[in-house]
Amino acid sequence: MAAYQGGSQAAFEELFDRYAGSVYGFLVRRLGDVALTEDLHQEAFLRLHRARKSYDPSRPFRAWLFSIVHNLLNDALRMRKRSPFAERRSERSNPSSDEKLEQPCGGPPEAADDKASPERILAARESGRALSRALSALPADEATVLILARFEGLSYDDIGSVVGRSPTATRQLAYRALKRVRAELVAAGHGEVE
Amino acid sequence: MTERYTCADYRAWLVDALSESLDDREEALLQAHIAGCNGCADASSELRASWDMFRDLPAVEPPPRVQDRTRSAVLSLMAEEKAAAGRREWHDVGLAPLAVLSALLVTAATLSLLSGLIWASTLPQGHMFFCAAIFTGLLVGAFSWIYSATTVNGVHLDVAARVGILALTITVAATTACPEFQVLAWWDRSAMGRFFTRMLGVGGSSIVFGFGYGLFPGFLAALFGGRLLAERPLANGLVAGAVVFLLATPVIYLQSAPFTSGVIASWLAGTAAGALCGVLGAVRVRQRVDVASHD
């Protein structure tokens, strides 16, 4: 990061290779909207670049990075909420909700397991969709906490610094999020874990 | 040992246990508690089931075109910054001597102008306006050079200073256009000025005039500061407004010379308030424009 702060292009490339997937994964899981995710992915790294000199090396880099992404996401959602046409546009750019939700949580690719039966593939895809729906239905901070803990492996202390909550409050958010996801899945008939 | 903790504490630990971030002692305490508490045992299996549901989902990777687009955007920005830094270095070499030269010229122009005012110059009024215009131009030049060496929130103040020139141009144009040398005197004689003087007194009338005097350039500075508003609109807009105010201050002082200090102070206060309101209005306009363009 120090080299990147000093303007090294190679350092940026290395950092980008390391975190581009994490940022994309977080955004797509959090938003469930591929088109908006693609826009925000670029904006996230531009913001990171502009803010690079304010990075405090004593702070974990991932927590700092996701703070930027989290703020960007909140700005974008606020902007979308303010705009009376945004919802309609978003619907137009995402023709069906199944199509929209299938990709984000990444239902297993069809060719991922040659030995998998069509029934198993179908069941796994259904389960992926249900999870995406459950994540989308969570309150904003709960979804952020759960995604950062489950997929990005951040500690609750670090996640707390991202969402601006105490570590205890962050754990409570994670607890509630997991309970809600479970309830949602059970209600959707996906309660049994294979 | 376990009596110190409540079920609420253990349930917070359940969340840590999922990500395997408990130490051995905490893990042992938790397992011992779960073995004797049905509520926490149920919560544990429920959370575990929910957590494990996500396990088999594959990682989400950005499509290559998205990666390429993002990477290129940042690399282009880096290249632009590098080029700008090169230009800035070049520019900075000549900055100090030019600033000194500008300051010397401003001092000479000020002295000549003041000598004309103090010793009742026989120059016709047209020449006085000409002198005032030269003085303001040089002053703006000096300010611009000084500001161009100053950065606030990553923005060089010369951007704001250039917009400030507009404020001074307006002043000089107004001075030239009206029959009186002092704009404030012209205001006091106008119908509006008389009205406000009657309503608010001389000080109040000066505040109103100053407010209008600062409002317009403040609004323009914040609105057209362009990149000033990119990241921190309010902070950068206020910087633009402050620069406009600073640039306008000497002109205000010069034009208020025959007035009492109270009137001059009122005008200055009004100008500061006007610039602030202009900036806030421009920031609001920009935000609305941004929202509309995002649609």
Side-chain angles (χ1 to χ4, degrees):
Chain A
M1 186 61 195
Y4 175 44
Q5 281 178 310
S8 162
Q9 192 172 314
F12 163 71
E13 298 258 12
E14 190 183 331
L15 188 133
F16 182 78
D17 289 343
R18 200 179 298 172
Y19 295 108
S22 293
V23 170
Y24 186 87
F26 171 74
L27 287 170
V28 84
R29 286 186 173 107
R30 182 70 182 70
L31 285 167
D33 180 335
V34 174
L36 184 55
T37 293
E38 291 180 0
D39 289 343
L40 293 188
H41 187 257
Q42 178 174 323
E43 184 55 32
F45 278 93
L46 287 171
R47 279 199 186 191
L48 171 81
H49 180 74
R50 290 189 194 110
R52 70 192 185 284
K53 289 192 174 151
S54 67
Y55 171 64
D56 172 9
S58 65
R59 193 176 171 194
F61 176 76
R62 284 162 65 80
W64 182 70
L65 168 67
F66 280 108
S67 297
I68 292 173
V69 180
H70 177 69
N71 290 335
L72 169 67
L73 191 62
N74 286 344
D75 290 348
L77 292 175
R78 208 176 299 126
M79 195 87 86
R80 192 160 73 167
K81 207 172 173 183
R82 270 195 215 151
S83 159
F85 306 107
E87 286 300 321
R88 269 176 272 161
R89 191 189 58 174
S90 173
E91 283 162 18
R92 282 200 305 273
S93 68
N94 297 280
S96 86
S97 84
D98 271 357
E99 187 184 322
K100 182 177 83 173
L101 292 165
E102 182 182 349
Q103 189 58 28
C105 257
E110 291 183 24
D113 181 359
D114 291 341
K115 292 174 189 165
S117 68
E119 290 79 11
R120 283 197 63 184
I121 291 171
L122 197 63
R125 289 181 66 180
E126 276 301 319
S127 165
R129 285 177 192 167
L131 276 170
S132 289
R133 280 191 212 104
L135 271 179
S136 302
L138 288 176
D141 276 355
E142 287 184 19
T144 296
V145 169
L146 181 55
I147 292 167
L148 290 180
R150 184 65 186 91
F151 294 101
E152 300 305 327
L154 261 66
S155 73
Y156 288 105
D157 287 11
D158 287 347
I159 298 172
S161 75
V162 171
V163 294
R165 307 281 187 117
S166 70
T168 307
T170 308
R171 284 179 177 82
Q172 284 167 353
L173 285 174
Y175 183 90
R176 283 204 293 269
L178 285 164
K179 296 265 285 184
R180 266 194 240 270
V181 166
R182 176 74 177 160
E184 187 83 19
L185 291 173
V186 169
H190 292 277
E192 297 307 314
V193 184
E194 291 165 27
Chain B
M1 196 79 180
T2 55
E3 289 78 18
R4 287 192 300 149
Y5 299 107
T6 64
C7 283
D9 296 323
Y10 284 116
R11 288 184 188 189
W13 283 12
L14 286 176
V15 176
D16 283 313
L18 295 171
S19 51
E20 298 174 357
S21 51
L22 290 177
D23 62 31
D24 291 346
R25 179 185 148 275
E26 289 168 337
E27 182 69 38
L29 283 173
L30 178 64
Q31 292 309 325
H33 176 77
I34 286 174
C37 175
N38 288 338
C40 287
D42 288 346
S44 173
S45 52
E46 196 178 3
L47 294 191
R48 171 63 65 188
S50 183
W51 184 263
D52 286 346
M53 282 291 286
F54 292 100
R55 185 182 50 203
D56 298 329
L57 291 176
V60 180
E61 283 297 326
R65 72 180 162 75
V66 174
Q67 292 206 46
D68 290 346
R69 198 181 66 159
T70 301
R71 192 195 311 267
S72 311
V74 177
L75 289 177
S76 314
L77 184 60
M78 288 178 90
E80 275 173 30
E81 285 174 351
K82 209 168 179 178
R87 282 199 300 273
R88 176 72 49 192
E89 272 169 26
W90 215 155
H91 178 72
D92 289 349
V93 173
L95 205 60
L98 278 169
V100 171
L101 184 64
S102 300
L104 288 173
L105 287 170
V106 167
T107 309
T110 309
L111 288 175
S112 67
L113 187 63
L114 286 178
S115 66
L117 287 172
I118 293 169
W119 287 293
S121 167
T122 53
L123 287 173
Q125 272 197 336
H127 284 78
M128 293 289 279
F129 295 138
F130 184 65
C131 273
I134 291 176
F135 166 71
T136 11
L138 290 171
L139 196 64
V140 168
F143 268 112
S144 295
W145 284 115
I146 293 163
Y147 288 141
S148 65
T150 313
T151 304
V152 175
N153 296 332
V155 175
H156 286 281
L157 292 193
D158 60 341
V159 177
R162 277 182 221 134
V163 184
I165 292 170
L166 186 62
L168 292 172
T169 309
I170 292 166
T171 308
V172 172
T175 304
T176 311
C178 70
E180 302 283 347
F181 185 63
Q182 289 85 20
V183 176
L184 197 54
W186 165 78
W187 165 256
D188 280 348
R189 282 165 170 243
S190 69
M192 290 282 275
R194 284 202 305 275
F195 171 75
F196 281 111
T197 305
R198 229 182 11 257
M199 297 292 292
L200 307 167
V202 178
S205 174
S206 300
I207 287 179
V208 170
F209 181 63
F211 186 85
Y213 186 88
L215 184 73
F216 184 56
F219 183 83
L220 288 176
L223 190 64
F224 296 116
R227 59 201 167 104
L228 281 175
L229 294 162
E231 283 295 306
R232 303 172 66 178
L234 188 57
N236 291 330
L238 288 174
V239 168
V243 170
V244 167
F245 177 68
L246 283 173
L247 287 168
T249 304
V251 180
I252 290 175
Y253 184 77
L254 185 70
Q255 301 217 357
S256 315
F259 294 91
T260 63
S261 54
V263 169
I264 297 170
S266 302
W267 189 7
L268 287 172
T271 308
L276 180 68
C277 289
V279 164
L280 293 175
V283 168
R284 188 87 185 133
V285 167
R286 283 294 294 223
Q287 281 169 346
R288 282 179 178 271
V289 168
D290 286 347
V291 169
S293 63
H294 199 80
D295 297 344

